[in-house]
């Protein structure tokens, strides 16, 4: 994996949130390259589920990077549910 959208310096010191760590290992070049170059450790990468459940608190003093490897419409639907908005086509 050698493609990325973000330079490792953007991820250095940031709270990096992914949908799934294993999917990020396979598909998120931004994160994998940052780990390879020592700017980030896999142990420091957290999932969106951990943040939503309150298991991990966001630090307002740090940059937050959310790296998705899924479909953007899925991310929008999740964000709307978290924000309490009704999502078209969902009964939740």
């Amino acid at each position: 994996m050698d493609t990325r959208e973000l330079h490792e310096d953007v991820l250095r010191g940031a709270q990096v949130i992914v949908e799934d760590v294993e999917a990020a290992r396979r598909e998120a070049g931004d994160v994998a390259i940052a780990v390879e170059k020592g700017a980030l450790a896999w142990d420091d990468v957290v999932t969106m589920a951990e943040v939503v459940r309150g298991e991990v608190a966001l630090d307002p003093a740090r940059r937050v990077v959310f790296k998705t490897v899924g479909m953007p419409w899925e991310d929008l639907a999740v964000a709307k549910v978290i924000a309490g908005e009704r999502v078209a086509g969902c009964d939740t």
Side-chain angles (χ1 to χ4, degrees), residues 73-86:
W73 65 267
E74 291 172 333
D75 302 329
L76 177 60
V78 170
K80 284 186 166 202
V81 169
I82 292 169
E85 297 179 24
R86 182 161 170 77

Side-chain angles (χ1 to χ4, degrees), residues 13-15 17 56-64:
Q15 280 188 285
I17 304 168
V56 175
L58 297 181
D59 181 350
R62 294 172 64 192
R63 174 177 37 253
V64 174

Side-chain angles (χ1 to χ4, degrees), residues 4 11 16 18 24 28-36 40 42 45 67:
R4 63 181 175 183
L11 301 177
V16 178
V18 298
D30 312 73
V31 180
I33 291 169
V35 170
E36 180 182 307
L40 180 68
W42 282 114
V45 176
K67 177 60 183 177

Side-chain angles (χ1 to χ4, degrees), residues 7-78:
H7 192 272
E8 67 268 9
D9 288 343
V10 174
L11 301 177
R12 189 182 315 277
Q15 280 188 285
V16 178
I17 304 168
V18 298
E19 297 155 301
D20 179 78
V21 174
E22 290 308 312
R25 286 180 187 268
R26 289 188 311 270
E27 301 176 39
D30 312 73
V31 180
I33 291 169
V35 170
E36 180 182 307
K37 294 191 175 220
L40 180 68
W42 282 114
D43 289 343
D44 295 327
V45 176
V46 299
T47 66
M48 183 169 54
E50 292 171 313
V51 173
V52 170
R53 289 191 302 249
E55 297 168 10
V56 175
L58 297 181
D59 181 350
R62 294 172 64 192
R63 174 177 37 253
V64 174
V65 175
F66 176 59
K67 177 60 183 177
T68 179
V69 295
M71 298 294 210
W73 65 267
E74 291 172 333
D75 302 329
L76 177 60
V78 170

